[in-house]
């Protein structure tokens, strides 16, 4: 009896996590659009589970700001207004700037070589017209802020990347690849190579803040 009782919550938690990751990935890829209603029965059938874990996943996604739970309308994809898009980039600039400042003492030649390789992969993805550019871009940034060794900070930054990823993909669809991407990310590597933590922080902040208006030219999201 006790073994059966203890395994049931674990199974439920696993199903909820699977549903959460499935829906989050779909939102990141832009499969669901802002204002669209998510039907738990349809998603549950797609994954192959009951509705309950999907509904629990909706609550987690709502706390992440990715969906909105509304009476009589159910679960709605949140989207961002332009003001919210700018705010997300402002928050990223502060948090990733802090992460860079904390990361600089941990950066050595091996890390710099790795960042050069990640940048080359990003560039190849852009030249081929592959939407993998967005993934490679996140890998580059993720490698840097992971070096801050601050789990809560890393979590907050990652959450912001999830929120803006659909708009990064819209941007990529319009421009094939951001033309200044290599130069700006190469400048970040140079700043890290300098060992000047405050300078690296400033370069990262300026890079992120400069991206927001570029996205705003191509994405006109609205919260419905």
């Amino acid at each position: 009896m006790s073994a059966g009782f203890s395994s049931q919550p674990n199974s439920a938690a696993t199903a909820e996590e699977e549903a959460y990751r499935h829906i989050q990935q779909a939102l990141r890829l832009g499969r669901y659009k802002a204002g669209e209603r998510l039907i738990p029965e349809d998603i549950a059938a797609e994954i192959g589970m009951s509705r309950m874990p999907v509904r629990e996943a909706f609550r987690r996604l709502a706390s992440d700001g990715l969906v909105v739970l509304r009476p009589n309308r159910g679960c709605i994809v949140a989207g961002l207004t332009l003001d919210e898009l700018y705010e997300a980039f402002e928050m990223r600039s502060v948090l990733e700037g802090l992460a860079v400042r904390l990361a600089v003492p941990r950066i050595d030649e091996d890390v710099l070589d790795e960042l050069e390789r990640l940048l080359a992969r990003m560039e190849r993805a852009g030249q081929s017209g592959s939407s993998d550019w967005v993934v490679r871009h996140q890998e580059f940034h993720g490698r840097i802020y992971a070096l801050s060794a601050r789990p809560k900070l890393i979590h907050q930054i990652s959450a912001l990347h999830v929120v803006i990823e659909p708009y990064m993909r819209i941007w990529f669809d319009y421009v094939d690849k951001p033309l200044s991407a290599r130069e700006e990310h190469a400048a970040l590597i140079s700043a890290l190579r300098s060992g000047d933590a405050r300078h690296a922080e400033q370069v990262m902040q300026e890079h992120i803040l400069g991206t927001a208006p570029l996205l705003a030219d191509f994405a006109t999201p609205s919260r419905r």
Side-chain angles (χ1 to χ4, degrees):
M1 282 290 286
S2 61
F5 180 79
S6 63
S7 65
Q8 186 173 356
N10 290 337
S11 298
T14 300
E16 178 191 328
E17 183 67 22
E18 181 182 354
Y20 173 81
R21 292 188 180 279
H22 175 86
I23 302 166
Q24 186 199 63
Q25 180 71 359
L27 291 166
R28 293 175 69 167
L29 295 176
R31 178 178 165 192
Y32 303 125
K33 306 302 180 185
E36 183 176 349
R37 183 182 177 190
L38 301 183
I39 310 299
E41 294 81 1
D42 292 347
I43 295 173
E46 183 178 324
I47 305 173
M49 63 175 60
S50 68
R51 290 178 299 172
M52 187 58 66
V54 174
R55 292 186 183 278
E56 291 301 319
F58 284 171
R59 292 188 178 92
R60 285 182 62 185
L61 292 162
S63 69
D64 292 343
L66 295 174
V67 301
V68 177
L69 300 178
R70 293 179 176 172
N72 304 320
R73 288 195 65 191
C75 182
I76 308 299
V77 178
L80 296 174
T81 66
L82 286 178
D83 284 345
E84 288 167 339
L85 184 66
Y86 274 104
E87 182 182 15
F89 275 87
E90 289 165 350
M91 292 171 66
R92 266 193 64 203
S93 73
V94 173
L95 296 179
E96 288 195 52
L98 171 60
V100 165
R101 174 154 47 90
L102 295 170
V104 165
R106 298 181 174 89
I107 291 176
D108 57 20
E109 283 301 321
D110 287 341
V111 172
L112 293 168
D113 288 344
E114 182 182 0
L115 290 174
E116 292 283 4
R117 289 193 296 272
L118 290 172
L119 180 54
R121 291 175 67 186
M122 190 197 314
E123 183 70 4
R124 286 195 298 271
Q127 289 174 345
S128 67
S130 169
S131 61
D132 280 351
W133 183 90
V134 177
V135 176
R136 303 309 174 201
H137 176 265
Q138 290 181 339
E139 285 179 349
F140 180 91
H141 278 262
R143 184 65 184 102
I144 297 173
Y145 63 69
L147 290 166
S148 69
R150 296 291 194 276
K152 293 183 184 299
L153 177 61
I154 292 167
H155 176 76
Q156 292 296 325
I157 296 171
S158 297
L160 288 170
H161 275 269
V162 170
V163 168
I164 67 170
E165 182 173 341
Y167 304 104
M168 294 288 287
R169 291 182 179 276
I170 292 171
W171 182 36
F172 185 89
D173 286 344
Y174 275 98
V175 302
D176 293 332
K177 78 178 183 70
L179 297 178
S180 63
R182 178 169 183 84
E183 291 77 7
E184 291 196 15
H185 291 90
L188 278 171
I189 294 175
S190 295
L192 294 170
R193 193 181 297 277
S194 74
D196 185 333
R198 291 291 183 180
H199 173 61
E201 178 181 21
Q202 181 180 1
V203 171
M204 177 64 86
Q205 289 180 331
E206 291 175 353
H207 163 61
I208 293 171
L209 289 174
T211 303
L214 299 177
L215 260 70
D217 286 341
F218 294 97
T220 55
S222 61
R223 188 185 298 280
R224 298 185 184 128

